[in-house]
Structures are given as C-alpha cells and as structure tokens.
Amino acid sequence: MVFITNTLGFNVTTKSWNGKAKLPFYLSDAYAVQKVTLDSVKCLFIKPKDKLHTLPAIKKHIVKIREIEPLPTVLELDTISSKQRKALIRAQIPFVVNGSQIYLPFMGIYLQEKYAQQKRPNQTLMPSAQM
C-alpha cells in the first residue's frame, strides 16, 4: 500500500473486511481479503495466500466475491510475469504488483516501472569515418 501512496499520492487506508465469514471456504482459504480506501474510492484487495490460480478461476472468484460485496476487487501480487500481466489486462482484472505495477481500470490508472536507458555517444570512430 505504501507503493500506491508513493506513486499516486493517494491517501490509502486499510481495514479488515467483515464479510469474510460469508465467503465459501475455498475462497477464504485461497485469499487474504482487505477493505481498502484509495482517497474516496472503496475497494477490496485480495491477495493469494499460496499460488496464483488460472485466469478463468480468478474471474469466477472475483465474481463470487463481488456477489457478497459489490465493490471493485483488486488482485494484489508480489510478482507477475509479462504473460500473466497481459492476460489480466485483457480480462480487465484490476491488479497491483507491489513495487512495480498498478492497473486499476475502474479509476483509469495503468502504471508500470520502466525506464529507458540513456544512449551513450560512441567514443570510437567507425572504420568508414576513419578513412
């Protein structure tokens, strides 16, 4: 959450979610759920406890969670591959990768850490220039 505050300047508050008792066991066992407020926007952050499920399973899990609590649901991850990132974006599943990426389509935000390397001028002359 510090990453979101530092990157976007949002006031982020987190608290435990009291709807956890309403979740089916397979969801409460698979995810840690927190209620998060990003400035004035309320949402749920779900963090996989073990491994990341397949994309169709994640979609079904989010639909089930949203039936219980109709708030935007954001997948919180520690790492992500480029293939997984593209699949989540294509499916429009909001996610935050701590320290590197933020994709929150319900707020119109997509950021990733990429820096272009500075080009250094050539210090040597090409053979054609030497002639």
Side-chain angles (χ1 to χ4, degrees):
M1 302 306 162
V2 175
F3 172 63
I4 295 172
T5 302
N6 291 343
T7 306
L8 301 174
F10 286 171
N11 181 21
V12 179
T13 57
T14 62
K15 60 181 178 179
S16 61
W17 181 55
N18 58 3
K20 190 172 182 173
K22 298 175 187 175
L23 283 178
F25 178 73
Y26 70 94
L27 289 178
S28 62
D29 190 45
Y31 299 100
V33 183
Q34 285 185 319
K35 194 168 191 176
V36 177
T37 305
L38 305 171
D39 271 346
S40 61
V41 178
K42 294 181 181 183
C43 54
L44 292 178
F45 271 55
I46 60 172
K47 184 171 185 169
K49 290 181 180 177
D50 189 21
K51 62 175 181 145
L52 188 62
H53 294 278
T54 62
L55 186 62
I58 293 170
K59 285 181 182 180
K60 289 178 185 176
H61 295 169
I62 289 175
V63 167
K64 186 65 175 173
I65 292 169
R66 290 194 69 179
E67 286 175 4
I68 296 167
E69 185 79 47
L71 292 174
T73 305
V74 179
L75 192 60
E76 183 181 358
L77 304 167
D78 292 324
T79 60
I80 191 171
S81 69
S82 63
K83 185 178 178 182
Q84 290 171 327
R85 184 190 77 234
K86 288 177 185 176
L88 289 172
I89 291 171
R90 218 175 300 121
Q92 294 188 344
I93 296 175
F95 64 89
V96 172
V97 180
N98 292 324
S100 64
Q101 298 179 25
I102 300 174
Y103 177 66
L104 304 172
F106 59 92
M107 295 180 77
I109 297 172
Y110 174 52
L111 300 172
Q112 60 184 349
E113 292 279 331
K114 281 189 176 179
Y115 299 103
Q117 290 183 339
Q118 289 183 335
K119 293 184 178 181
R120 293 183 178 169
N122 289 340
Q123 299 296 328
T124 59
L125 295 174
M126 299 296 293
S128 59
Q130 292 178 7
M131 294 299 276

